[in-house]
Amino acid sequence: MNANVADTPETITLAITGASGAQYGLRLLQCLLAADKRVFVMISRAAQVVISTETDFKMPGTPADQEQFLSQLYKAKPNQLKVFGREQWMAPVASGSGAPSKMVVCPCSTGSLSAIATGASNNLIERAADVALKERRQLILVPREAPYSEIHLEHMLKLTRMGVIVIPASPGFYNRPTTVEDMIDFVVARIMNQLDIEQNLLPRWGDDLI
């Protein structure tokens, strides 16, 4: 095997869309970078508004500035983090020949859920998810909505039947969370487990008995 290929870290595609719960996506990004994964990131316009509303971060408007901001914030290594714009159609995630094998949409708005379920591909996030579906690659969606309408549930069922993993942003309480950060980490840990990436945010069930 070529040494350069062997030394290339696993790449994960992460899309952050406009549902409430931007903290989940940002914390997941931080954990993926800490796990030495390379991350391709896409942030929708609505997500930029949500981030500025739900956090103290003021996300820059351009992909290049977002990349610099997030790289500094989470201490990314050189070339470890790449941010793509909504119509950057030459990005690797836009093609089955270039897209990583795993993608997460976190949080996933119900609008993005609908677009992915119907193959809309009106922007790069939707196209990247469409690529994951057509290539039979791992796709994880993290919706955050309450209550769900019949339309939302139908879309989740349709995508689940295609092999998509749906992880609602619904923290559990058996870990006795004492902070909001604990509740965020619960959901992020479940995502990391599905990605088969080692994490120490939350013990796996029964670990204390082994």
Side-chain angles (χ1 to χ4, degrees):
M1 180 180 293
N2 185 291
N4 292 332
V5 174
D7 293 340
T8 301
E10 180 183 24
T11 304
I12 309 293
T13 302
L14 171 61
I16 301 176
T17 64
S20 179
Q23 297 91 336
Y24 293 114
L26 293 173
R27 178 61 167 152
L28 177 60
L29 173 59
Q30 181 182 21
C31 291
L32 290 173
L33 294 172
D36 289 326
K37 305 301 178 183
R38 185 173 63 164
V39 190
F40 290 161
V41 178
M42 295 164 286
I43 305 172
S44 73
R45 291 173 181 170
Q48 294 177 42
V49 175
V50 174
I51 290 171
S52 67
T53 301
E54 296 186 343
T55 76
D56 294 329
F57 303 140
K58 299 301 179 184
M59 188 64 61
T62 69
D65 288 340
Q66 291 169 5
E67 182 176 318
Q68 182 179 15
F69 173 78
L70 292 170
S71 294
Q72 292 176 349
L73 180 65
Y74 295 129
K75 298 178 174 59
K77 298 175 182 177
N79 300 316
Q80 189 183 9
L81 171 62
K82 180 66 181 177
V83 178
F84 297 108
R86 60 176 280 116
E87 295 182 348
Q88 200 166 341
W89 301 114
M90 296 305 293
V93 298
S95 172
S97 64
S101 61
K102 299 177 182 180
M103 177 177 179
V104 184
V105 184
C106 177
C108 180
S109 67
T110 53
S112 297
L113 176 72
S114 172
I116 294 168
T118 56
S121 294
N122 289 318
N123 56 54
L124 189 60
I125 291 175
E126 295 168 11
R127 171 58 184 169
D130 191 51
V131 167
L133 286 172
K134 77 183 185 69
E135 299 292 333
R136 308 299 194 268
R137 293 172 179 169
Q138 186 177 31
L139 176 60
I140 299 173
L141 305 182
V142 186
R144 210 299 317 157
E145 186 60 270
Y148 290 122
S149 73
E150 183 175 347
I151 294 172
H152 305 151
L153 295 169
E154 286 178 346
H155 286 153
M156 283 188 272
L157 177 59
K158 179 180 180 181
L159 288 165
T160 297
R161 286 173 171 167
M162 295 180 194
V164 175
I165 300 169
V166 178
I167 304 178
S170 303
F173 292 89
Y174 55 79
N175 60 321
R176 301 288 185 93
T178 58
T179 66
V180 172
E181 288 74 18
D182 289 340
M183 298 171 71
I184 293 170
D185 281 354
F186 182 97
V187 173
V188 172
R190 300 300 297 271
I191 300 169
M192 297 282 282
N193 288 345
Q194 287 293 327
L195 292 170
D196 197 25
I197 299 173
E198 186 175 350
Q199 55 83 20
N200 57 10
L201 305 175
L202 182 74
R204 292 178 184 266
W205 187 263
D207 275 357
D208 57 338
L209 301 178
I210 299 176

